[in-house]
Amino acid sequence: MFLLKNLSIDLHVRKTLRTGKYAKSAKKKCIFFSLLTIIWAFCLDLFRDVKMISNFVSTYDESFTLPLHPLYNKSKVLSIYAPKDERIPEISVKTKLIPSVRNSSDIFPFQTHTDCRLHVEKQHFVLIDKWLEEELPILDYVIEIDGQLTVFFILKHFSYRPYDLSKFRNVMWYCASTNGTNTLAASVYQSKSASIKVNCQVGTNRIWTKTLVSISGKNDVSESFDIESFVQCDKLEQIESKNEIPKDTKIGACLEIRGNRHLVAPWIEYHRIIGIQHFWIFVNEAWSFEGFPKKPYITYIPFNYYHEDHRNHSHWRNDGSFFWQVPMQMQCIYRMKRLDLDWVVTTDVDEYIYVNLTQKEQSNQTKAVPVLQKFLATVDDYENIGALQMSSIFFGRNILVEPENTTYPLLIDFVWRKKKNYLTRQKLIYNPRNAKSVGVHFLWNGGYIKKATSELYMHHYKNSHSGVFDPKTLKPCTSEIPILKDSNLVDKYRDKIIKAL
């Protein structure tokens, strides 16, 4: 470019010098303008370079020293018949994406699993909007177990509109590794839990497919999901779990909480008294520790996903936090698989597991073995069981004798239930070694469901301040329905809970 400009200036100078009288003056002016033109051209090129560099730098997050990782990329991916060592082409998107660190040995830009999850959660929110808008599976979670990555995708939103979910049986998924090679993934379509499980080897940083069919009927949809941030968060979690969770932990509980934080501590302390050893609390709201107990046997996990936050997508039904309840349970089950726990509970904060021992069994009960641990140790055929089923008895306020504004320090202080012992609304204690696909009240795959004896059931304090919930009418019991006082749980455990708090 400079050679052409200099040639043009040189010809202009020669023409000027031939004018005679003003040759000397013109020569000085031409030299001056020639230098000025050269300087102008140099500055223009420098400006373009600076602008290009600034555009690249702007794709980095200034709050971290290392570049962060995109969770999602979209492009025309290579043919699904491409050889496994063929490289995926560069991703082209309209929005700016943050460059990825491709080596797993790189230093993490996060110090804790919580910090990592919070960052992924922030990025994830925008991507969920995109996936809902484009009618695509939602990337949910990645976990490493025994040298293999298991990647979960949510499909529940597809069931809200006319769509044949069985189409996902034919979807082919590919694992793209950090060195650029592609391999066909082993994938399982789980219809009951409305999810897809994709298995890849460690070192995978992207999952992609070219065989998706959206609800609107678009064929040959190519999608690439970047999982590297999820993998990094999972590595941090493995390190923290190894250091913080005792190796002899065999019974755990996972709880999703949104609001009602004051109910968490009593729920945890009660279940710890009866034998649960560690608790994982999925915080389904803005992250903070306000109102939460800080104990070494409690792990808090950022999980601020709420379907109503994406209600601008009017074609999706509003399911609130229920949309994410099964994904939370699946995350819980696979965490417990990796930790090699024997049992895990996923009940709600208003559900208290109760083991109703006989008088003789109570006299033989020792402090060394909590009642739930003792009960679970007697369950037959553990090797084949996927879950143990418990029924519920609803407890609440006696609307005939207790004023409408009655409140109690603890949920268990509501001691009234229906006179007819009506057991309903089952929940499960899962065997994570066998369970593979679960629902809020179900085990869909992995072992079989064994019904617990009548000694094991739940006290369910559903809207207890409104009265005793009637599962038949889905409303509080009316004055015509006989109820009775049952204070067994509160008599046995209230003082112990208060002491623990």
Side-chain angles (χ1 to χ4, degrees), residues 12-27:
H12 178 71
V13 170
R14 290 182 181 180
K15 182 178 180 180
T16 305
L17 291 176
R18 287 197 298 266
T19 58
K21 183 178 179 180
Y22 302 100
K24 189 173 182 179
S25 176
K27 183 177 180 180

Side-chain angles (χ1 to χ4, degrees), residues 178-319:
T178 52
N179 63 14
T181 60
N182 302 320
T183 55
L184 181 64
S187 61
V188 178
Y189 162 59
Q190 302 176 130
S191 60
K192 296 293 186 180
S193 60
S195 63
I196 291 179
K197 184 174 66 174
V198 180
N199 293 322
C200 293
Q201 294 300 313
V202 171
T204 299
N205 65 346
R206 251 185 288 173
I207 307 288
W208 63 273
T209 180
K210 196 182 177 183
T211 53
L212 285 176
V213 180
S214 67
I215 293 176
S216 57
K218 296 177 181 178
N219 296 313
D220 199 32
V221 179
S222 301
E223 291 301 323
S224 176
F225 299 84
D226 195 313
I227 65 171
E228 193 162 8
S229 287
F230 286 90
V231 172
Q232 291 196 3
C233 292
D234 184 62
K235 288 181 178 179
L236 286 170
E237 183 183 358
Q238 288 187 66
I239 295 170
E240 293 176 9
S241 296
K242 185 177 181 180
N243 295 332
E244 299 173 4
I245 300 174
K247 292 183 179 179
D248 60 352
T249 301
K250 291 302 176 183
I251 304 178
C254 294
L255 173 69
E256 181 182 354
I257 191 72
R258 186 178 182 87
N260 296 318
R261 293 191 176 198
H262 64 287
L263 300 178
V264 173
W267 185 89
I268 287 176
E269 296 305 334
Y270 168 78
H271 286 96
R272 186 165 182 262
I273 290 169
I274 68 171
I276 294 178
Q277 298 162 296
H278 200 90
F279 301 83
W280 286 262
I281 310 301
F282 289 73
V283 183
N284 187 226
E285 57 188 352
W287 179 256
S288 79
F289 284 109
E290 184 179 355
F292 284 143
K294 297 180 181 179
K295 300 291 180 67
Y297 45 85
I298 307 174
T299 298
Y300 293 98
I301 300 172
F303 196 71
N304 189 18
Y305 299 110
Y306 192 61
H307 199 53
E308 189 176 354
D309 294 338
H310 306 280
R311 60 186 174 185
N312 54 311
H313 302 290
S314 57
H315 52 292
W316 303 118
R317 189 175 73 194
N318 176 20
D319 239 4

Side-chain angles (χ1 to χ4, degrees), residues 54 94 173 252 398 420 451 467 474 486:
S54 67
K94 294 180 180 179
W173 296 85
N398 185 337
K420 183 178 180 180
K451 289 187 177 181
L474 302 181
D486 181 350

Side-chain angles (χ1 to χ4, degrees), residues 19 41 49 105 136 169 197 212 307 383 408 414 418 495:
T19 58
D49 291 341
S105 60
L136 298 170
R169 297 184 192 277
K197 184 174 66 174
L212 285 176
H307 199 53
E383 293 77 12
Y408 292 109
F414 290 99
K418 289 178 67 175
D495 290 343

Side-chain angles (χ1 to χ4, degrees), residues 156-192:
K156 186 174 182 180
H157 50 303
F158 283 82
S159 64
Y160 294 164
R161 298 177 65 191
Y163 186 80
D164 183 7
L165 281 172
S166 64
K167 292 180 180 179
F168 283 104
R169 297 184 192 277
N170 302 321
V171 173
M172 301 174 69
W173 296 85
Y174 287 82
C175 310
S177 65
T178 52
N179 63 14
T181 60
N182 302 320
T183 55
L184 181 64
S187 61
V188 178
Y189 162 59
Q190 302 176 130
S191 60
K192 296 293 186 180

Side-chain angles (χ1 to χ4, degrees), residues 127-144:
L127 298 174
I128 290 170
D129 272 342
K130 176 187 286 290
W131 294 325
L132 287 172
E133 185 66 29
E134 298 183 6
E135 301 177 341
L136 298 170
I138 296 174
L139 174 61
D140 176 46
Y141 180 59
V142 179
I143 186 170
E144 178 189 340

Side-chain angles (χ1 to χ4, degrees), residues 317-361:
R317 189 175 73 194
N318 176 20
D319 239 4
S321 59
F322 293 107
F323 185 93
W324 298 98
Q325 192 168 3
V326 172
M328 181 280 293
Q329 288 181 299
M330 292 291 287
Q331 289 192 27
C332 172
I333 293 296
Y334 279 79
R335 276 182 165 88
M336 303 310 115
K337 280 183 186 293
R338 182 165 65 190
L339 292 170
D340 197 31
L341 265 66
D342 294 338
W343 299 99
V344 61
V345 173
T346 61
T347 55
D348 296 328
V349 76
D350 61 351
E351 296 170 331
Y352 281 60
I353 297 173
Y354 184 60
V355 182
N356 189 16
L357 297 178
T358 63
Q359 192 67 35
K360 181 180 179 180
E361 288 172 327

